[in-house]
Amino acid sequence: MIDIKNCRKPQLQETANIACQGVEGAYSQIAANALFKQPDVMYMRTFDGVFRAVNNGLCKYGILPLENSNAGSVTDVYDLMKTHKFFIVRSVKVSISHMLLQKKKTGIDKIKEIYTHEQAARQCSRFLEQNNHIKINLSANTAAAAQFVAESERTDIAAIASENCIQLYNLTASSKNIQNNNNNYTRFICISKECEIFDNADKISLMLSLENKAGALYEIIKQFAERQLNLIKLESRPIADTDFEFMFYFDVQANIENEDVYNLILQLKDSTKQLAFLGNYSEISA
């Protein structure tokens, strides 16, 4: 594990080269604009492409969705964090409002197919159930879905995407706020190849696996409780090709400069099968 005390302590930057998944109008672009006043955004086709752009020096940072308040975690991003051994340096909570977008002369009664991202489809499941005669096609990104609808010669298709895409792709909204819950947020993380901890960092993210034995998870949670550290996220998922072994994701309100917190993480490294320190950072809202 990296020597946490050697992480860089940079100043917040107003501009930077940023890699985002999708195309112009994506929610990740909204996140980038919230975190940086003048982001120079490069769009990648996949989440892995974002990591590769940062790894190869094309961009300083990458912006990726990590979890949605209704649809849950984006597990592919967690897997890529582990594979590439990158760090979370900042995060932003973006309010997500989905709209049904189509060409200006297309009415909702003429729509035969809807294009959108899998997460957006989950977040709008009630709307889609109410219109279950319409076929759903999954796209790499909501903005890519809007772009496809705009560029297609068909007049019977629509996209679920953000309001930003209306003007960008010359579309119109036949239905607004179609997400299941108006309290719909997605956490986006800003990743870096280097470990960077900005001032006022108050959240630590960890990923760890344990021995498959009774009380193993309890012993870990107890160590946080004994230090009165607030666990704000605890999630598990099976590890592929293992016999019921799990990877656990922890978010804890803490700062690594606290010596007790630092020592705890060192202890966890010694008492777990594997541990990844994902970053110490702060979160804003957009």
Side-chain angles (χ1 to χ4, degrees):
M1 189 175 72
I2 189 170
D3 184 350
I4 300 169
K5 289 191 174 179
N6 288 334
C7 289
R8 292 181 62 240
K9 300 186 182 298
Q11 297 294 315
L12 289 176
Q13 296 175 272
E14 291 191 355
T15 184
N17 294 326
I18 309 294
C20 291
Q21 188 265 344
V23 297
E24 190 175 6
Y27 286 106
S28 56
Q29 180 189 6
I30 298 173
N33 290 335
L35 290 170
F36 300 90
K37 289 185 178 179
Q38 295 178 308
D40 184 5
V41 178
M42 181 181 294
Y43 295 99
M44 303 295 158
R45 189 173 59 86
T46 64
F47 292 151
D48 187 57
V50 173
F51 281 88
R52 293 185 183 278
V54 177
N55 189 60
N56 295 333
L58 296 175
C59 296
K60 173 64 176 173
Y61 300 109
I63 303 291
L64 293 156
L66 190 65
E67 63 180 335
N68 177 265
S69 56
N70 296 302
S73 294
V74 185
T75 54
D76 288 349
V77 173
Y78 273 114
D79 291 341
L80 288 165
M81 288 290 294
K82 180 185 176 185
T83 300
H84 290 275
K85 296 181 173 60
F86 276 26
F87 300 94
I88 303 171
V89 298
R90 301 174 70 184
S91 121
V92 57
K93 186 172 74 171
V94 177
S95 178
I96 304 295
S97 177
H98 293 303
M99 299 186 177
L100 186 69
L101 307 182
Q102 66 278 325
K103 292 180 178 178
K104 292 184 176 179
K105 293 183 179 180
T106 301
I108 189 171
D109 57 318
K110 297 180 181 179
I111 295 171
K112 295 180 179 179
E113 298 183 30
I114 292 175
Y115 291 79
T116 193
H117 186 264
E118 180 182 6
Q119 282 271 334
R122 291 180 189 172
Q123 294 163 29
C124 302
S125 60
R126 292 176 192 165
F127 175 84
L128 296 176
E129 287 170 5
Q130 291 167 3
N131 296 276
N132 57 15
H133 60 285
I134 302 176
K135 180 182 177 182
I136 309 303
N137 299 298
L138 298 182
S139 303
N141 183 271
T142 54
Q147 183 183 50
F148 175 80
V149 169
E151 295 175 354
S152 173
E153 294 182 358
R154 293 179 59 181
T155 58
D156 60 351
I157 59 176
I160 293 177
S162 72
E163 184 178 9
N164 286 11
C165 293
I166 294 177
Q167 186 172 353
L168 275 173
Y169 299 113
N170 194 31
L171 298 172
T172 187
S174 59
S175 300
K176 299 181 178 180
N177 297 319
I178 61 174
Q179 63 276 0
N180 296 346
N181 191 331
N182 287 332
N183 188 31
N184 186 33
Y185 294 90
T186 295
R187 275 184 67 205
F188 287 85
I189 54 172
C190 178
I191 59 167
S192 172
K193 190 175 179 179
E194 300 178 74
C195 180
E196 297 182 352
I197 301 177
F198 292 92
D199 290 338
N200 302 317
D202 58 1
K203 180 187 291 186
I204 293 174
S205 290
L206 303 169
M207 188 163 52
L208 58 88
S209 63
L210 304 171
E211 296 287 345
N212 186 11
K213 63 180 183 180
L217 180 59
Y218 168 77
E219 290 299 327
I220 297 297
I221 294 174
K222 184 175 73 171
Q223 294 186 60
F224 288 100
E226 288 174 346
R227 293 166 176 81
Q228 297 185 327
L229 296 174
N230 185 25
L231 283 175
I232 53 179
K233 178 177 181 177
L234 171 56
E235 186 174 326
S236 66
R237 61 180 296 227
I239 301 174
D241 301 321
T242 64
D243 186 15
F244 293 103
E245 293 188 13
F246 290 82
M247 184 67 72
F248 294 91
Y249 309 104
F250 287 82
D251 284 350
V252 56
Q253 287 183 321
N255 187 290
I256 202 65
E257 292 185 358
N258 181 308
E259 189 170 356
D260 199 27
V261 173
Y262 177 75
N263 289 333
L264 170 59
I265 292 177
L266 292 181
Q267 290 175 30
L268 292 177
K269 180 179 180 296
D270 294 333
S271 61
T272 58
K273 291 186 67 175
Q274 58 177 312
L275 181 140
F277 171 79
L278 300 182
N280 188 190
Y281 55 97
S282 60
E283 182 170 286
I284 64 171
S285 296

